[in-house]
Amino acid sequence: MAEQKKKQRSEEQTDRSYRRAYTLIRPLFHLLFPFRRVHAERIPDRSVLVCPNHFSDLDPLTVCFALPKDSGLRVMAKQELMDVPILGRLLKRWGIFGVKRGNSDVGAIKTAMRHLKAGHKLLMFPEGTRVKEGEENDGKTGAIMLALRTGTPIMPCYCEKRKRPFQRTAIVFGEPYMVETEGKKATPREYKERAEELIQRIYALKEELP
């Protein structure tokens, strides 16, 4: 019971730290890199996996600031960022946690599942890394696995590539959907197919750009 209360206090402190950082940083970011939200009404009030494409280093900030301040967002980032002195401590305080790319990071998976089951939104990039526009990149199956194991819907997002100072870009939010499989347990083929479907859903949102 005491341990549960300790975790709850820690989550509440993380939410407060995130909201403070959001309030301080968002106005400056939006001034330098203004963006327009398209179909923000599709953002659910419940837990959801937020899955955008990844063209630019600015994509994570754009998505974070396009979501409501009180969304309870948690972010999965590459472990290299978390290892940077001072920056890593700040990111952790704001609800960002690292994942080791290239292998199965059990610790990161457990952390992601815990956040989703607690009702938080989780931002992760299903392509795994930045890609060039027009370049083919197979989607990773991590988001599909988390969605199936936690019963959480996925919300695809599309971020425009162009992000230049003082030039407005757009981010399109797609309809959240539940991942479905033929049987109770997904097969490796289904994991691959559902990951490819997610990537297709993300890039289909480009057609809804203003």
Side-chain angles (χ1 to χ4, degrees), residues 76-88:
M76 181 182 286
K78 58 184 180 181
Q79 183 61 42
E80 291 86 342
L81 283 177
M82 308 304 296
D83 294 336
V84 177
I86 302 178
L87 176 62

Side-chain angles (χ1 to χ4, degrees), residues 14 16 52-53 77 98 149 159 163 175 177 197:
T14 298
R16 288 194 296 269
N53 59 306
R149 289 192 181 183
C159 295
K163 292 181 180 64
E175 290 283 359
Y177 72 99
E197 177 190 351

Side-chain angles (χ1 to χ4, degrees), residues 17-135:
S17 296
Y18 179 83
R19 289 194 296 267
R20 284 196 293 266
Y22 185 106
T23 301
L24 290 172
I25 301 173
R26 188 186 190 277
L28 178 60
F29 181 84
H30 196 266
L31 175 65
L32 293 174
F33 301 98
F35 59 84
R36 175 182 176 183
R37 302 189 305 168
V38 181
H39 293 309
E41 74 279 359
R42 293 173 175 171
I43 302 172
D45 293 331
R46 57 161 294 181
S47 175
V48 69
L49 273 158
V50 183
C51 293
N53 59 306
H54 199 2
F55 286 146
S56 164
D57 288 333
L58 294 175
D59 289 334
L61 286 173
T62 302
V63 178
C64 287
F65 293 140
L67 291 168
K69 178 172 65 175
D70 58 353
S71 60
L73 185 67
R74 299 294 185 264
V75 182
M76 181 182 286
K78 58 184 180 181
Q79 183 61 42
E80 291 86 342
L81 283 177
M82 308 304 296
D83 294 336
V84 177
I86 302 178
L87 176 62
R89 292 178 61 185
L90 283 174
L91 295 178
K92 184 177 180 181
R93 184 178 299 177
W94 297 336
I96 301 168
F97 62 98
V99 58
K100 298 175 183 177
R101 298 181 296 180
N103 54 16
S104 180
D105 190 337
V106 177
I109 292 172
K110 289 182 178 180
T111 299
M113 292 178 63
R114 175 169 56 83
H115 288 317
L116 290 171
K117 289 179 178 179
H120 296 290
K121 292 177 174 61
L122 175 64
L123 169 61
M124 64 182 299
F125 292 91
E127 292 169 311
T129 187
R130 285 182 293 117
V131 299
K132 296 179 180 179
E133 191 169 18
E135 181 180 69

